[in-house]
């Protein structure tokens, strides 16, 4: 049996950032456990992100594979360029860098170690079980992503209540004549979801994702996500693809993120409690923000020698205060957006092009007002039939 002050399960951006915070700010003994043989193997993200991550978390420029000054929204026929600066991370290198940062501050980063469940005594989480040993800790952190390896067993997150989606991406060498990220809302390319292209310095990333419920409504055949992605790669004349160097794929379980995030001896960060933004599916930024919020509260709790639910719930209240209502509203908008017909997709794109810079800043920060959302939304009389389905996200 091994003993630490803190054990973190999961080596994605949220878990690594939590460990990095504790390592840099305290002298507590921290251990991070990643199931894959290396941190770089946990390669499930597009790597698209914004200044709040690169500047806000002091990300080293060596792991940034590209940046651009704008984002392009596309519908089946409409196209609008939005002044939203962005970055594309070399995601495996980013994870390795986060791990090196944490390890340099004394965190014990252990790969090839799969957590199989929580260790609970008298109602309090006191450690984790792995396939090879029991590890005890004063505080346990679940950062295992959408599997929710600990939160689901503890009854803190109901994965079955969330909406499921999938995404697949190719990293391609060749030419893509664009200095902007592209997001395409078009059921011919991505039924019930969206597609993207992210430019890099010498490669570009392109992918397709969809929400399963809406894929079933809008797909005209039973092609796989790989079929849709390859079809788009082959028939769009904006790029010349020389070679596919890597393939990234992953599943998502998304809800409105108003979930229990703390219990006695335990906090959960990132997608182990569905922190992903429900409108555009961004995971890196909210995951790392959840880690920083949790770390602030965890350090105070550890310093006070009190890791009770009552103390740790301050993290949960902060998340709900900063994200909860916005995430709920965007959950509703996302539910409608991915069910738009082609005309609505084009109207949505054109409406985004009418936003002021202040409005674009709110869009980029997921801080849209009700007025913003009404301006974006191309209403149809038939949409009233959808109200019972979306109303559940308000309760």
């Amino acid at each position: 049996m091994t003993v630490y002050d803190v054990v973190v399960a999961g080596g994605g951006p949220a878990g690594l950032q939590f460990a990095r915070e504790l390592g840099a700010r305290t002298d507590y003994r921290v251990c991070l456990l990643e199931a894959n043989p290396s941190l770089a193997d946990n390669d499930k993200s597009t790597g698209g992100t914004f200044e709040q991550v690169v500047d806000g978390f002091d990300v080293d420029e060596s792991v940034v594979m590209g940046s651009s000054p704008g984002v392009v929204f596309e519908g089946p026929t409409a196209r609008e360029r939005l002044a939203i600066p962005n970055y594309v991370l070399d995601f495996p290198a980013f994870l390795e860098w986060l791990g090196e940062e944490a390890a340099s501050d004394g965190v014990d980063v252990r790969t090839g170690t799969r957590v199989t469940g929580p260790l609970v005594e008298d109602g309090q989480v006191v450690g984790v079980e792995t396939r090879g040993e029991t590890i005890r800790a004063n505080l346990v952190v679940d950062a295992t992503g959408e599997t929710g390896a600990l939160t689901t067993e503890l009854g803190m997150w109901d994965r079955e209540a969330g909406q499921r989606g999938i995404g697949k991406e190719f990293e391609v060498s060749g030419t893509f004549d664009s200095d902007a990220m592209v997001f395409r809302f078009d059921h011919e390319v991505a039924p019930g979801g969206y597609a993207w292209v992210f430019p890099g310095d010498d490669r570009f990333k392109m992918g397709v994702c969809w929400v399963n419920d809406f894929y079933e409504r809008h797909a005209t055949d039973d092609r796989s996500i790989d079929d849709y992605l390859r079809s788009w790669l082959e028939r769009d004349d904006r790029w010349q693809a020389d070679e596919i160097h890597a393939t990234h794929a992953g599943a998502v379980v998304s809800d409105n993120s108003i979930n229990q995030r703390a219990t006695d001896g335990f906090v959960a960060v990132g997608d182990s409690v569905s922190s992903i933004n429900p409108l555009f599916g961004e995971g890196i930024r909210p995951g790392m923000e959840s880690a920083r919020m949790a770390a602030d509260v965890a350090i105070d709790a550890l310093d006070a020698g009190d890791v009770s639910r009552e103390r740790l719930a301050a993290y949960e209240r902060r998340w709900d205060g900063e994200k909860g209502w916005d995430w709920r509203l965007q959950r509703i908008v996302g539910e409608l957006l991915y069910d738009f017909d082609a005309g609505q997709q084009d109207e949505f794109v054109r409406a985004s092009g009418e936003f002021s810079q202040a409005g674009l800043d709110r869009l980029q920060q997921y801080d849209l007002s009700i007025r913003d959302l009404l301006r974006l939304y191309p209403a149809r009389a038939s949409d009233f039939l959808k109200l019972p389905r979306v109303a559940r996200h308000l309760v």
Side-chain angles (χ1 to χ4, degrees), residues 6 8 13-15 17-22 25-26 28 57 139-143 156 260-263 265-270 272-273 275 285-303 306-308 311-320 322-323:
V6 180
V8 182
Q17 183 59 37
F18 185 96
R20 185 184 176 210
E21 296 274 347
L22 269 287
R25 296 163 57 184
T26 76
Y28 291 115
F57 292 94
L139 179 68
V140 173
V141 182
D142 190 350
M156 294 172 60
Q260 184 180 345
R261 291 174 172 262
T263 191
F266 179 89
V267 294
V269 298
S272 66
V273 276
S275 301
R285 177 171 36 160
M288 294 180 75
E289 288 173 344
S290 75
R292 179 165 283 173
M293 291 181 196
D296 289 343
V297 172
I299 290 170
D300 288 343
L302 289 164
D303 288 348
D306 177 7
V307 292
S308 65
R311 183 110 190 187
L312 295 172
Y315 153 54
E316 191 176 296
R317 291 191 295 271
R318 181 177 170 187
W319 173 270
D320 291 349
E322 293 187 21
K323 307 289 187 186

Side-chain angles (χ1 to χ4, degrees), residues 63-325:
V63 303
V64 178
M65 66 177 287
S67 62
S68 61
V71 170
V72 170
F73 277 8
E74 295 180 347
T77 64
R79 188 177 191 274
E80 295 289 343
R81 184 183 176 98
L82 313 177
I84 302 176
N86 56 81
Y87 298 86
V88 181
L89 302 174
D90 179 337
F91 192 69
F94 173 57
L95 296 179
E96 293 282 6
W97 175 78
L98 285 173
E100 290 165 3
E101 286 274 295
S104 70
D105 284 318
V107 175
D108 183 7
V109 178
R110 297 170 55 180
T111 58
T113 306
R114 182 175 297 278
V115 171
T116 57
L119 179 65
V120 181
E121 295 178 357
D122 298 325
Q124 178 164 327
V125 181
V126 295
V128 296
E129 300 284 359
T130 75
R131 288 181 175 174
E133 64 179 317
T134 297
I135 301 176
R136 296 184 69 92
N138 294 324
L139 179 68
V140 173
V141 182
D142 190 350
T144 57
E146 60 89 20
T147 61
L150 304 179
T151 51
T152 53
E153 188 165 335
L154 292 168
M156 294 172 60
W157 181 42
D158 182 4
R159 297 174 75 248
E160 300 307 313
Q163 281 186 320
R164 295 174 182 273
I166 57 171
K168 188 162 189 177
E169 176 187 78
F170 292 154
E171 188 172 321
V172 184
S173 63
T175 57
F176 172 51
D177 188 19
S178 176
D179 65 345
M181 278 185 176
V182 175
F183 291 93
R184 186 171 184 87
F185 305 94
D186 181 351
H187 296 307
E188 293 296 317
V189 177
Y194 62 89
W196 65 88
V197 193
F198 295 166
D201 292 335
D202 56 0
R203 300 184 183 185
F204 61 92
K205 298 181 177 184
M206 60 176 302
V208 167
C209 69
W210 60 55
V211 178
N212 293 357
D213 293 347
F214 303 123
Y215 165 79
E216 292 170 1
R217 288 183 202 156
H218 293 282
T220 57
D221 52 46
D222 59 356
R223 282 183 291 162
S224 69
I225 195 167
D226 189 77
D227 292 333
Y228 275 95
L229 181 54
R230 288 188 179 277
S231 174
W232 192 35
L233 176 66
E234 292 166 2
R235 64 188 172 87
D236 198 310
D237 60 9
R238 288 177 293 180
W239 48 71
Q240 175 64 47
D242 295 333
E243 183 180 352
I244 298 172
H245 290 271
T247 300
H248 314 135
V252 171
V253 179
S254 174
D255 60 24
N256 61 23
S257 92
I258 309 299
N259 301 302
Q260 184 180 345
R261 291 174 172 262
T263 191
D264 294 333
F266 179 89
V267 294
V269 298
D271 288 335
S272 66
V273 276
S274 190
S275 301
I276 191 170
N277 178 266
L279 179 56
F280 292 127
E282 184 188 1
I284 295 174
R285 177 171 36 160
M288 294 180 75
E289 288 173 344
S290 75
R292 179 165 283 173
M293 291 181 196
D296 289 343
V297 172
I299 290 170
D300 288 343
L302 289 164
D303 288 348
D306 177 7
V307 292
S308 65
R309 152 82 183 165
E310 182 179 5
R311 183 110 190 187
L312 295 172
Y315 153 54
E316 191 176 296
R317 291 191 295 271
R318 181 177 170 187
W319 173 270
D320 291 349
E322 293 187 21
K323 307 289 187 186
W325 179 244

Side-chain angles (χ1 to χ4, degrees), residues 318-336:
R318 181 177 170 187
W319 173 270
D320 291 349
E322 293 187 21
K323 307 289 187 186
W325 179 244
D326 288 340
W327 256 231
R328 279 186 172 178
L329 284 178
Q330 290 173 69
R331 174 78 167 161
I332 292 171
V333 175
E335 178 109 358
L336 297 168

